[in-house]
Amino acid sequence: MNWRAHTGVAVRAMVRGYLAAIGFVLFALLVIALSIDLTDSLDGVRDRAAATQTPLWRVLMPYLGYRAVDIVTRLLGMAALIGAGLAASLRHQRLEDVVLSAAGATPGLMLSALLIVGVITGAVQASFQNWLRPAAVERQIAAQLGRYGRWFGNTDLEYRWITDGSRAMRAQVTRGADPALRDIQYFEGIDTPALSRVIFAERAVPGARDGAWVLENATEWDSDAGIGMATTTRDRIGIDLPLNRARVRWFGIHGYYIPNPALKKIAGIEGLFAANDAATSLAFRRMSFFLPGIFALLGASLALAGRRGRRWAPFRLMVLATVGYVILVSVKVFWALGIHGRIPPYPAATIPLVVALSLSALLLLHQGGYLRRRD
């Protein structure tokens, strides 16, 4: 096998074509998304600039940077699907495939080019998904800009319920850099006809281990052999809850927006909905390197399958484009299933990628004549 051919002039030209098409589509999607976002957020940016007595551009430009990182992370898979399809279509229109085939080139050159494209776009996706995007979201929350600033900028939450089997706690939650729980109402035996223990406390602080909490300035009502409730006042009472400091800091925030170190701590909590959310988000981030490359391969495969001889088959192209879009959307569907505990985290992250890769392989084998009936 001539390995030099897989990195030669033809392959490098394909790589440039794929990257240029993906970059163009991503830029177009980015401009559209930023335009839509600014129609909703520009007034808030102006108000923030006026409140801090800062020139508008010094607030607007960082905000656009934060939003661009977020949008690129969300839309790179779609750009890879559409851009690779467009690049393959343009190559077919220019008869480049015919010229290469006449020169003795194999379809492996296209796969080599897509592999290189996948490594480049995968590195971008993994970097944005695991490090840049969480940091950009955190900066946007701290600056109280845009939708994230409105959704998560309020650190003082009204009373929230936290349940775990037979236990429940109602507390005021302060999230952010200085997380805290205040005005605690703690109940045990909520799954029985009568409560076995009730505690009212001024505040709660984390204990020595995850899940351990210390209630301060507490009044406790404890069952007394089923006869009544004995009341005691204590400075400190230790309890266990499916909650840790990281979860309080990011309370009510989707795992998609949380940095990896905090996600790992939250994922270790048992019996909490947020643990499924965190574990699924971590699984998707670890698999994010493969997403744009696989969807670029799918886009190119769909474009090649949408032709009949040297002519395009418009109806077939529409059907194939719909199939590609459905598979792309299924990534979010399986993410939601993983968050709600219907599917384990890593199957939720890998099933859409396996489906896209399998369909690409079937389409390429069919185009190569390996799946056609032979007389």
Side-chain angles (χ1 to χ4, degrees):
M1 179 180 294
N2 185 5
W3 291 104
R4 294 185 61 184
H6 292 270
T7 58
V9 175
V11 172
R12 291 198 298 271
M14 291 184 199
V15 170
R16 287 194 297 269
Y18 284 123
L19 291 178
I22 293 172
F24 173 78
V25 173
L26 184 60
F27 177 76
L29 294 174
L30 178 62
V31 170
I32 295 171
L34 285 177
S35 300
I36 295 173
D37 185 87
L38 280 178
T39 60
D40 180 60
S41 304
L42 186 57
D43 290 339
V45 173
R46 287 173 175 166
D47 293 341
R48 185 64 178 172
T52 57
Q53 297 182 349
T54 305
L56 178 61
W57 68 270
R58 296 189 63 179
V59 179
L60 180 61
M61 296 310 294
Y63 172 72
L64 290 178
Y66 302 149
R67 294 299 299 135
V69 170
D70 183 23
I71 293 168
V72 167
T73 307
R74 290 174 179 270
L75 298 181
L76 183 54
M78 180 180 292
L81 176 69
I82 299 173
L86 288 176
S89 300
L90 291 174
R91 289 178 56 247
H92 174 71
Q93 185 179 9
R94 294 192 296 261
L95 301 179
E96 292 182 13
D97 294 335
V98 176
V99 173
L100 290 174
S101 179
T106 65
L109 296 185
M110 183 192 76
L111 296 179
S112 298
L114 286 171
L115 178 61
I116 297 172
V117 170
V119 171
I120 295 172
T121 56
V124 173
Q125 179 75 15
S127 300
F128 276 56
Q129 189 75 267
N130 286 278
W131 299 289
L132 295 179
R133 185 180 186 279
V137 171
E138 193 170 4
R139 295 284 183 85
Q140 191 174 330
I141 294 173
Q144 296 184 356
L145 292 172
R147 283 180 293 178
Y148 297 153
R150 293 196 301 270
W151 293 345
F152 311 131
N154 180 22
T155 57
D156 293 323
L157 306 179
E158 291 298 328
Y159 290 100
R160 296 292 190 272
W161 283 97
I162 301 161
T163 60
D164 177 34
S166 63
R167 299 173 296 174
M169 184 177 71
R170 181 174 182 261
Q172 287 185 335
V173 179
T174 300
R175 64 188 178 194
D178 189 20
L181 298 173
R182 295 185 176 85
D183 197 5
I184 313 296
Q185 299 175 18
Y186 175 79
F187 307 91
E188 288 186 2
I190 62 173
D191 58 346
T192 61
L195 295 174
S196 59
R197 190 184 188 193
V198 179
I199 303 174
F200 288 176
E202 182 179 326
R203 64 192 301 265
V205 296
R209 56 180 174 80
D210 276 356
W213 289 83
V214 178
L215 304 181
E216 297 181 343
N217 300 327
T219 300
E220 178 181 12
W221 287 266
D222 203 349
S223 61
D224 185 16
I227 299 175
M229 298 291 284
T231 304
T232 58
T233 301
R234 301 165 61 181
D235 293 334
R236 298 167 65 88
I237 299 177
I239 62 171
D240 289 325
L241 281 174
L243 199 67
N244 57 20
R245 182 180 177 87
R247 179 57 188 151
V248 177
R249 179 177 182 181
W250 298 94
F251 196 92
I253 299 178
H254 195 291
Y256 191 65
Y257 309 107
I258 302 176
N260 282 355
L263 278 182
K264 293 176 182 178
K265 294 179 181 179
I266 297 172
I269 306 173
E270 296 182 358
L272 191 65
F273 169 81
N276 290 330
D277 184 6
T280 303
S281 297
L282 283 172
F284 271 86
R285 288 181 181 180
R286 288 165 181 163
M287 298 301 296
S288 62
F289 175 84
F290 304 99
L291 187 144
I294 289 176
F295 278 99
L297 175 63
L298 178 61
S301 303
L302 291 172
L304 294 176
R307 62 189 185 183
R308 184 180 289 111
R310 294 187 181 181
R311 301 181 61 183
W312 294 111
F315 181 75
R316 184 191 298 178
L317 270 176
M318 291 176 59
V319 173
L320 291 172
T322 302
V323 171
Y325 181 74
V326 169
I327 295 176
L328 181 64
V329 172
S330 72
V331 174
K332 293 185 178 180
V333 174
F334 278 91
W335 194 323
L337 292 173
I339 289 172
H340 290 86
R342 300 291 185 257
I343 300 178
Y346 276 98
T350 55
I351 288 175
L353 301 182
V354 171
V355 171
L357 187 60
S358 300
L359 179 59
S360 302
L362 288 174
L363 291 173
L364 290 175
L365 288 173
H366 183 270
Q367 289 297 308
Y370 296 101
L371 301 182
R372 296 173 184 171
R373 183 180 300 175
R374 297 181 179 179
D375 296 332

